[in-house]
Amino acid sequence: MSEAIGQDTVPQDIVEALITVRDRAYAPYSNHPVGALIVSESGTRYAGANVEVAHYKGLCAEASALAAMASAGERELREVYVIGPGEHLCTPCGDCRQRIREFASPQTLIRVVDAQGTLLRRYTMDELLPDSFGPENLGRDSAME
Ligand SMILES: [Zn+2]
């Protein structure tokens, strides 16, 4: 099911992809499975789940999806979707906000849905990480310019 925030909805196929990848998470330590789906500039979708390891330096779902996108040779993203295990907001952690920012524009939308795929909140990149530090601070071209 998808739910609207104003006129915004999450397409059913994206909800299904989010639930599928979230359910593939490897989260035996936190028992907090998370899924992320990124739509790149080309329109391709990249999904990722959190992958934990015994020394606790696991990989977040968003980082996993971003790694898939970058590994495919893409450098710009249009949209990000995140799903957690419950009804509460499962927003990207601080580290993931910075990782998303690397490939985002200020208007890139990040949508967070509940466990069933109902849209809870929608943020722009600027709202999620205001006054951020990015590639252009180091003299590099960025999608944020
Ligand atoms: Zn994270």
Side-chain angles (χ1 to χ4, degrees), residues 60-63 92-96:
C60 292
E62 300 92 324
C93 74
D95 184 60
C96 285

PDB file of all heavy atoms in Angstrom, residues 60-63 92-96, ligand 1:
ATOM      1  N   CYS A  60      25.277   0.241   6.495  1.00  0.00           N
ATOM      2  CA  CYS A  60      23.872   0.649   6.458  1.00  0.00           C
ATOM      3  C   CYS A  60      23.257   0.346   5.092  1.00  0.00           C
ATOM      4  O   CYS A  60      23.961   0.247   4.085  1.00  0.00           O
ATOM      5  CB  CYS A  60      23.748   2.141   6.720  1.00  0.00           C
ATOM      6  SG  CYS A  60      24.170   2.672   8.378  1.00  0.00           S
ATOM      7  N   ALA A  61      21.935   0.266   5.058  1.00  0.00           N
ATOM      8  CA  ALA A  61      21.217   0.011   3.816  1.00  0.00           C
ATOM      9  C   ALA A  61      21.487   1.099   2.775  1.00  0.00           C
ATOM     10  O   ALA A  61      21.699   0.804   1.594  1.00  0.00           O
ATOM     11  CB  ALA A  61      19.715  -0.076   4.099  1.00  0.00           C
ATOM     12  N   GLU A  62      21.486   2.361   3.219  1.00  0.00           N
ATOM     13  CA  GLU A  62      21.705   3.458   2.287  1.00  0.00           C
ATOM     14  C   GLU A  62      23.112   3.381   1.682  1.00  0.00           C
ATOM     15  O   GLU A  62      23.298   3.579   0.479  1.00  0.00           O
ATOM     16  CB  GLU A  62      21.533   4.811   2.987  1.00  0.00           C
ATOM     17  CG  GLU A  62      20.157   5.032   3.588  1.00  0.00           C
ATOM     18  CD  GLU A  62      20.070   4.583   5.049  1.00  0.00           C
ATOM     19  OE1 GLU A  62      20.707   3.574   5.422  1.00  0.00           O
ATOM     20  OE2 GLU A  62      19.356   5.255   5.813  1.00  0.00           O
ATOM     21  N   ALA A  63      24.093   3.088   2.528  1.00  0.00           N
ATOM     22  CA  ALA A  63      25.472   2.971   2.053  1.00  0.00           C
ATOM     23  C   ALA A  63      25.604   1.805   1.084  1.00  0.00           C
ATOM     24  O   ALA A  63      26.329   1.885   0.083  1.00  0.00           O
ATOM     25  CB  ALA A  63      26.425   2.807   3.234  1.00  0.00           C
ATOM     26  N   PRO A  92      17.873   8.224   7.622  1.00  0.00           N
ATOM     27  CA  PRO A  92      19.295   7.912   7.441  1.00  0.00           C
ATOM     28  C   PRO A  92      20.127   8.446   8.615  1.00  0.00           C
ATOM     29  O   PRO A  92      19.873   9.545   9.122  1.00  0.00           O
ATOM     30  CB  PRO A  92      19.650   8.645   6.143  1.00  0.00           C
ATOM     31  CG  PRO A  92      18.359   8.748   5.397  1.00  0.00           C
ATOM     32  CD  PRO A  92      17.319   8.946   6.467  1.00  0.00           C
ATOM     33  N   CYS A  93      21.110   7.648   9.039  1.00  0.00           N
ATOM     34  CA  CYS A  93      22.000   8.085  10.122  1.00  0.00           C
ATOM     35  C   CYS A  93      22.889   9.220   9.612  1.00  0.00           C
ATOM     36  O   CYS A  93      22.911   9.537   8.424  1.00  0.00           O
ATOM     37  CB  CYS A  93      22.837   6.909  10.616  1.00  0.00           C
ATOM     38  SG  CYS A  93      24.172   6.411   9.499  1.00  0.00           S
ATOM     39  N   GLY A  94      23.623   9.826  10.496  1.00  0.00           N
ATOM     40  CA  GLY A  94      24.476  10.946  10.126  1.00  0.00           C
ATOM     41  C   GLY A  94      25.481  10.589   9.041  1.00  0.00           C
ATOM     42  O   GLY A  94      25.692  11.350   8.091  1.00  0.00           O
ATOM     43  N   ASP A  95      26.093   9.438   9.179  1.00  0.00           N
ATOM     44  CA  ASP A  95      27.077   9.000   8.186  1.00  0.00           C
ATOM     45  C   ASP A  95      26.412   8.830   6.820  1.00  0.00           C
ATOM     46  O   ASP A  95      26.958   9.256   5.797  1.00  0.00           O
ATOM     47  CB  ASP A  95      27.708   7.688   8.655  1.00  0.00           C
ATOM     48  CG  ASP A  95      28.803   7.218   7.711  1.00  0.00           C
ATOM     49  OD1 ASP A  95      29.786   7.963   7.523  1.00  0.00           O
ATOM     50  OD2 ASP A  95      28.668   6.120   7.157  1.00  0.00           O
ATOM     51  N   CYS A  96      25.226   8.247   6.796  1.00  0.00           N
ATOM     52  CA  CYS A  96      24.538   8.040   5.519  1.00  0.00           C
ATOM     53  C   CYS A  96      24.064   9.357   4.918  1.00  0.00           C
ATOM     54  O   CYS A  96      24.039   9.507   3.694  1.00  0.00           O
ATOM     55  CB  CYS A  96      23.380   7.069   5.678  1.00  0.00           C
ATOM     56  SG  CYS A  96      23.959   5.368   5.848  1.00  0.00           S
TER      57      CYS A  96
HETATM   58 ZN    ZN B   1      23.499   4.863   8.006  1.00  0.00          ZN
END
